[in-house]
Amino acid sequence: MSRPRYRSITPAVPVLGASALLIAALTWPLLFTNSGFSGDWPHHLWLIWHQSLSLRSSHFPSLFINSSFSVFNPLFAFYGGTLYALAGVMSLAMGGAPVQAYVCIYMLDFLAALAGWYWLGRMAGVGRWLALVPGMVFVTSAYYLMLVYVRGDWPEFTGVSMIPLMVAASLSVMRSDRLRVLPGSALAVSTIVFFGAHNITILLGLTMVALTGLAALVCVPGARRQITRRGIVRVACVTVPAALVSAWYLLPAVAYQSGTQIGSNYVGKQEVLRANAGLVSFDHLFTLSRVSAGGPSPYPFDLSLPVLAIAWVLIGIFLLAGGGNRAWVRLLAICSLLAVLVTVVMTHVGLLLA
């Protein structure tokens, strides 16, 4: 029994090695430098350390921080409570090492994103080497790497990294004849981390996943045939309890959101959006070179879309259309149209405010 199993694993070894080399190339600054990075890097590290102190003293995560700016500030009730708690536990398990725990979760985020896209590619029938391509495009994109090395937005990076793995695991559990350990565990872990990391990513990520899934069910008959009531129940039995792990901080966020500055200060939101609108102008989004952010924006970077990847997708639509595979043409068209919708919304302040 062991020999066929060994033979089935052997072809995957080069793929695993290539994935490890890619992740090592993208994350070597995290591992081989003694300095921090710009943006919110020290901010999130300090919050991890604070949560680890709370866990060590009371064995429970805290909703509050005390600092020179505020006393009993309920920050963890509105932002990444579960993620900071998980990192605090990891720090204590490492003997009080918040920096190592911080970097370790960054590494696991890269791995989760790459593995999720690879899993989706394999389920779509793509070969081992070609299934690496979607994940490679994703983890090397400007936005993804900017979150680490420019903005230092650890919760957003973690939340975004969980989406591919969560979607892949959901599809695997839904299409299977029964709940299996590895897909179920991957779905539970990715769901816990996703709902415990970043509120805006939860809102926008779930919205886009729901719209994509609904459009696929309406427009692609093959997708409807693969969705069963039992499969949906299995996914719900895993995701609902996993999401409720973060109820301790998400429920206060929902209950008291109107008392926050971003929830009540409409004029302030207008000013922030209009000040940063230049970051997502069409001149910046559709370029093959670097451009200066300029304008009144306080950010030292500008945002651009993966133009070459977009061209690749458009060419792919024509190639698939010529091959007669209607299901894949429709899926690619759905994702492309939703990408256009997101681009239109994010470049118009009025739509964002509405």
Side-chain angles (χ1 to χ4, degrees):
M1 293 295 291
S2 61
R3 184 173 296 175
R5 182 180 179 86
Y6 173 77
R7 288 178 178 175
S8 66
I9 294 174
T10 301
V13 172
V15 174
L16 293 174
S19 303
L21 289 174
L22 175 63
I23 293 176
L26 295 175
T27 60
W28 71 265
L30 292 172
L31 300 173
F32 300 106
T33 181
N34 292 323
S35 62
F37 298 97
S38 61
D40 287 335
W41 174 275
H43 174 73
H44 298 299
L45 182 58
W46 180 73
L47 292 174
I48 290 173
W49 173 74
H50 183 283
Q51 201 66 280
S52 69
L53 295 181
S54 174
L55 288 162
R56 187 171 63 184
S57 62
S58 65
H59 306 294
F60 285 99
S62 174
L63 288 171
F64 306 97
I65 60 170
N66 298 325
S67 68
S68 58
F69 298 101
S70 60
V71 178
F72 296 124
N73 176 14
L75 184 144
F76 295 109
F78 294 91
Y79 195 82
T82 300
L83 181 61
Y84 290 114
L86 290 172
V89 171
M90 185 180 292
S91 173
L92 294 177
M94 292 178 173
V99 176
Q100 286 80 355
Y102 194 33
V103 171
C104 183
I105 291 181
Y106 265 123
M107 299 287 291
L108 292 174
D109 290 341
F110 274 100
L111 179 61
L114 193 62
W117 280 111
Y118 182 78
W119 195 354
L120 287 169
R122 293 294 287 159
M123 282 194 291
V126 181
R128 284 189 173 91
W129 286 106
L130 286 178
L132 280 175
V133 174
M136 290 174 64
V137 173
F138 186 82
V139 301
T140 60
S141 64
Y143 160 75
Y144 194 70
L145 294 177
M146 180 191 68
L147 286 178
V148 185
Y149 296 118
V150 179
R151 289 182 60 199
D153 199 329
W154 178 64
E156 181 177 339
F157 181 81
T158 301
V160 168
S161 299
M162 292 301 122
I163 294 176
L165 183 59
M166 188 170 64
V167 172
S170 297
L171 289 174
S172 179
V173 170
M174 192 177 298
R175 296 168 61 190
S176 179
D177 56 343
R178 60 186 176 87
L179 183 60
R180 302 181 187 277
V181 174
L182 289 179
S185 299
L187 178 57
V189 171
S190 59
T191 302
I192 289 172
V193 178
F194 174 78
F195 279 93
H198 192 252
N199 296 4
I200 296 176
T201 302
I202 296 173
L203 175 64
L204 298 183
L206 286 181
T207 300
M208 294 312 302
V209 168
L211 288 175
T212 305
L214 181 62
L217 289 175
V218 172
C219 301
V220 184
R224 292 195 295 271
R225 288 193 292 268
Q226 295 195 29
I227 304 301
T228 64
R229 184 176 300 176
R230 289 184 178 180
I232 294 173
V233 170
R234 281 195 297 270
V235 171
C237 287
V238 176
T239 56
V240 172
L244 289 176
V245 169
S246 296
W248 69 279
Y249 95 91
L250 287 177
L251 290 181
V254 173
Y256 297 104
Q257 54 84 24
S258 60
T260 62
Q261 184 177 13
I262 195 171
S264 58
N265 187 3
Y266 183 79
V267 176
K269 284 189 288 187
Q270 283 185 315
E271 294 173 354
V272 171
L273 285 171
R274 296 190 191 284
N276 297 311
L279 288 172
V280 289
S281 67
F282 280 93
D283 293 339
H284 291 175
L285 290 176
F286 296 95
T287 179
L288 291 175
S289 61
R290 292 195 60 176
V291 291
S292 174
S297 173
Y299 296 107
F301 55 83
D302 37 73
L303 307 176
S304 60
L305 293 172
V307 178
L308 294 178
I310 292 173
W312 181 13
V313 169
L314 294 176
I315 293 172
I317 291 177
F318 289 106
L319 292 177
L320 285 173
N325 194 326
R326 294 183 178 180
W328 287 114
V329 173
R330 291 180 181 183
L331 284 172
L332 199 54
I334 288 169
C335 293
S336 300
L337 290 173
L338 287 173
V340 171
L341 174 63
V342 171
T343 305
V344 171
V345 170
M346 74 181 184
T347 52
H348 293 79
V349 175
L351 291 176
L352 285 171
L353 290 171

